[in-house]
C-alpha cells in the first residue's frame, strides 16, 4: 500500500475495463480517473508545473493562471494547494458546477467566461482574458496547456509506456482530442515502437480541431474551437467525429452496467465502437483512453431535465441507449487558418 505526502504522488495507472460484455466488441478502456485530481489531466499539470519550477519561472509570489474547461483546472488547483501557489482558473459557462466548486474548495479562484468567440466556442474569449490578466500583473504565470510541450511529453513518458507494457500486441489506440496533448504524446511514442499501432483520434462534432465548420458543443472536455497548436496530423492515422447525442447514450449505457464515466469517455468509446463495428477484424487488440469518471457530470449528462432541454425528450430512448445508435455525418471541409494562442506567458 503506497504512503504519500503530496496528493499528486498517487495515480492508479494500470486499471483497464474490458467492454466486451457491454458492447459486444473487445475494447480495453484505460481508466485515468483514479487519482486525487480525478482525471488524466493530473499528468500534464504535474509535468508543466515541475518544468516551470526547474526553469525558475515559478516563484513564491507567483500566481498560476490557466484556461481550462474543468479537469486541468482541478489538477492545477490540487497541485497549487499542495505546493503553496495561488491559482486562478479561467473557465466558461459549460464547466460543470461541481467542478467549479471543487476548484474553489481547493482554494483556487475561478473566473467564468460567458461570451462566445468567432468559432462558436469559448476558448478564444478565455485566452483573451488570460492575456489581459498577464498584461496587468507580472506575477501571473500562464503555463498554456495549448502550446506547452510538457502537455504531450507527460503522456510520452507515462501514458503510452503504461499501455505498451500491458498490451505488447496492441493494434489500435483510440484517443480523445482536446488540446491533443494525450494524443500527441501517445502517437509519438508508438511511432517509435517495435510494431505498428494505428492511432485513431476521436473528436466531437462541432469541433474544428481537425477542420470543419464550428457547431454547438455543450459537453466540456473534448473538442476545440480552433486548431490545437500541439497537433501534428501526420502522426494520426484516422479521425472519428462523434455526435453529442451518441456521447450521452454511450455514457448512459455504461452507467446501466455500473460504470459511471465522464463525457469525454463516452465520446471516445462511442467512436471506438463505431470503428470496431466497421472493421470487424477478429482478434484485434484495441485500447481506448478514459480521461475521467462521471461524478462531475451528475448535473449535466446524467441529469434528465438538462438533457431534454438541450437534446429533446427522445435523447434517452431505451432502445437507442441499448444499441448505441449513431448518426453518421460526412467529414466537412477544413476551415480557413484558425486562431492560435500564444506560447506560455512566464514572468521571470
Amino acid at each position: 500500500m503506497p504512503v504519500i505526502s503530496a496528493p499528486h504522488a498517487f495515480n492508479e495507472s494500470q486499471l483497464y475495463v474490458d467492454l466486451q460484455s457491454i458492447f459486444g466488441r473487445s475494447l480495453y478502456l484505460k481508466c485515468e480517473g483514479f487519482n486525487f485530481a480525478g482525471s488524466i489531466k493530473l499528468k500534464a499539470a504535474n509535468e508543466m508545473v515541475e518544468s516551470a519550477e526547474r526553469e525558475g519561472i515559478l516563484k513564491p509570489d507567483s500566481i498560476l493562471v490557466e484556461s481550462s474547461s474543468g479537469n486541468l483546472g482541478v489538477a492545477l488547483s490540487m497541485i497549487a494547494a499542495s505546493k503553496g501557489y495561488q491559482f486562478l482558473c479561467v473557465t466558461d459557462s459549460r464547466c460543470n458546477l461541481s467542478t467549479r466548486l471543487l476548484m474553489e474548495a481547493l482554494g483556487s479562484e475561478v473566473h467564468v467566461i460567458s461570451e462566445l468567440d468567432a468559432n462558436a466556442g469559448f476558448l478564444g474569449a478565455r485566452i483573451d482574458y488570460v492575456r489581459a490578466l498577464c498584461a496587468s500583473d507580472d506575477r501571473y504565470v500562464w503555463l498554456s496547456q495549448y502550446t506547452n510541450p510538457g502537455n504531450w511529453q507527460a503522456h510520452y513518458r507515462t501514458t503510452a509506456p503504461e499501455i505498451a507494457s500491458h498490451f505488447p500486441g496492441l493494434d489500435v489506440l483510440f484517443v480523445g482530442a482536446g488540446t491533443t496533448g494525450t494524443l500527441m504524446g501517445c502517437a509519438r511514442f508508438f511511432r517509435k515502437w517495435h510494431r505498428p499501432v494505428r492511432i485513431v483520434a476521436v473528436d466531437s462534432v462541432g469541433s474544428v480541431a481537425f477542420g470543419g465548420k464550428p457547431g454547438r458543443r455543450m459537453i466540456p472536455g473534448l473538442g476545440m474551437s480552433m486548431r490545437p497548436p500541439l497537433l501534428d496530423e501526420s502522426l494520426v492515422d484516422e479521425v472519428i467525429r462523434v455526435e453529442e447525442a451518441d456521447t450521452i447514450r454511450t455514457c448512459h449505457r455504461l452507467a446501466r452496467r455500473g460504470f459511471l464515466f465522464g463525457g469525454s469517455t463516452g465520446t471516445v468509446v462511442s467512436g471506438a465502437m463505431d470503428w470496431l463495428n466497421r472493421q470487424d477484424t477478429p482478434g484485434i487488440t484495441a485500447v481506448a483512453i478514459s480521461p475521467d469518471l462521471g461524478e462531475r457530470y451528475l448535473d449535466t449528462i446524467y441529469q434528465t431535465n438538462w438533457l431534454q432541454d438541450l437534446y429533446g425528450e427522445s435523447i434517452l430512448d431505451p432502445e437507442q441507449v441499448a444499441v448505441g445508435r449513431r448518426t453518421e455525418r460526412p467529414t466537412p471541409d477544413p476551415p480557413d487558418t484558425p486562431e492560435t494562442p500564444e506560447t506560455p506567458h512566464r514572468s521571470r
Side-chain angles (χ1 to χ4, degrees), residues 6 16 30 38 70 91 119-120 152 189 193 231 267 298 307 327-328:
Y16 297 83
K30 188 179 195 301
T91 189
N119 284 325
W152 68 263
F189 178 90
W193 208 35
L231 175 61
T267 303
L298 292 177
L307 291 174
T327 302
E328 296 297 331

Side-chain angles (χ1 to χ4, degrees), residues 94 96-97 220 296-304 306-307:
R94 293 177 308 178
N96 297 319
L97 175 60
R296 294 173 191 171
Y297 301 81
L298 292 177
D299 57 349
T300 54
I301 62 176
Y302 293 106
Q303 213 284 329
T304 302
W306 186 88
L307 291 174

Side-chain angles (χ1 to χ4, degrees), residues 3 109 117 160 232 247 273 275 298 300 311 337:
V3 177
E109 187 176 352
D117 60 26
D232 180 351
T247 291
M273 285 301 167
W275 189 93
L298 292 177
T300 54
Y311 304 98
T337 303

Side-chain angles (χ1 to χ4, degrees), residues 189-203:
F189 178 90
F190 284 111
R191 280 293 179 267
K192 299 179 180 179
W193 208 35
H194 67 89
R195 56 174 288 148
V197 174
R198 189 164 186 83
I199 303 297
V200 179
V202 184
D203 198 10

Side-chain angles (χ1 to χ4, degrees), residues 200-263:
V200 179
V202 184
D203 198 10
S204 302
V205 169
S207 164
V208 301
F210 294 89
K213 295 180 179 179
R216 185 187 76 163
R217 292 179 293 111
M218 300 304 299
I219 301 173
L222 297 187
M224 292 274 279
S225 56
M226 65 182 183
R227 180 182 174 83
L230 295 177
L231 175 61
D232 180 351
E233 288 193 62
S234 70
L235 299 174
V236 178
D237 296 300
E238 191 172 345
V239 179
I240 296 175
R241 292 173 174 85
V242 175
E243 297 272 8
E244 286 194 331
D246 294 315
T247 291
I248 291 161
R249 290 167 184 145
T250 300
C251 285
H252 281 259
R253 188 173 181 181
L254 287 163
R256 295 297 184 270
R257 299 298 293 271
F259 293 105
L260 196 71
F261 286 107

Side-chain angles (χ1 to χ4, degrees), residues 37-95:
S39 81
I40 196 170
K41 288 293 188 177
L42 174 62
K43 293 176 173 178
N46 197 43
E47 179 75 24
M48 291 189 296
V49 169
E50 289 190 348
S51 176
E53 289 176 332
R54 288 192 299 269
E55 296 174 21
I57 294 164
L58 279 173
K59 302 173 183 178
D61 66 340
S62 293
I63 305 172
L64 279 168
V65 61
E66 187 56 81
S67 160
S68 169
S69 62
N71 282 336
L72 183 72
V74 172
L76 286 172
S77 293
M78 187 192 75
I79 292 172
S82 175
K83 291 176 174 284
Y85 297 117
Q86 295 182 69
F87 174 57
L88 189 158
C89 181
V90 180
T91 189
D92 60 64
S93 54
R94 293 177 308 178
C95 180

